[in-house]
Amino acid sequence: MISTVGGSGLGEDSKEQSVETDKPLWLHVTKLGKTFEEGGNVSFKCNYCGGTYKGSYSRVKAHLLKIAGHRIKMCPKITTSQLIEINRQVDEAECRIKRALPKEIRLPSTHGSSHASSSSVRVDHSFIC
């Protein structure tokens, strides 16, 4: 038996809010529109340097956090203090996502036999992170 405790509870109305809290870097760029390419690619303008680029959230992340290897120019206008703050926002969002994932814990069988199958329960460990 599998039971779930503390699901995400996200409905259709909260999708936009979820994107802002799960992917905070979208708040640091201006989306100009969806591209005709596959996936989550959009055209976006950096709110710091004003550069216009195409790509998904991972390219926004590479641009703003100055991560090499994503074939996008690193933002020349982000200061060290801004970089620290943006990294903090990303870390908090990733932690929220991780905490929302259910964890499966095997419980001992309620049957007397040691060969009987055990139950499992999904537990939300919100205190981790």
Side-chain angles (χ1 to χ4, degrees):
M1 176 177 149
I2 296 179
S3 174
T4 302
V5 178
S8 67
L10 294 177
E12 293 295 321
D13 295 338
S14 62
K15 279 186 180 177
E16 190 172 316
Q17 180 184 3
S18 175
V19 168
E20 290 178 5
T21 58
D22 292 350
K23 297 184 176 181
L25 298 181
W26 285 127
L27 299 173
H28 297 273
V29 299
T30 302
K31 289 183 184 179
L32 302 175
K34 186 134 173 83
T35 66
F36 294 105
E37 300 169 21
E38 301 245 350
N41 292 331
V42 296
S43 292
F44 62 91
K45 180 179 178 181
C46 176
N47 293 347
Y48 297 94
C49 70
T52 302
Y53 307 96
K54 291 180 185 176
S56 63
Y57 186 75
S58 62
R59 284 176 51 90
V60 172
K61 185 175 182 179
H63 174 71
L64 294 173
L65 298 181
K66 302 182 180 193
I67 302 169
H70 290 270
R71 297 174 55 181
I72 189 167
K73 181 181 176 184
M74 296 179 212
C75 185
K77 299 289 185 174
I78 298 276
T79 65
T80 303
S81 61
Q82 289 169 326
L83 187 59
I84 291 168
E85 174 59 21
I86 293 170
N87 264 307
R88 185 192 62 74
Q89 292 171 4
V90 170
D91 289 345
E92 285 179 1
E94 289 174 355
C95 194
R96 272 193 305 275
I97 292 167
K98 192 176 188 180
R99 281 192 317 252
L101 295 174
K103 307 290 185 237
E104 189 172 297
I105 300 173
R106 291 277 174 203
L107 300 177
S109 172
T110 56
H111 304 289
S113 169
S114 62
H115 295 6
S117 65
S118 59
S119 315
S120 63
V121 175
R122 293 191 188 269
V123 178
D124 182 7
H125 293 285
S126 298
F127 59 91
I128 301 172
C129 260

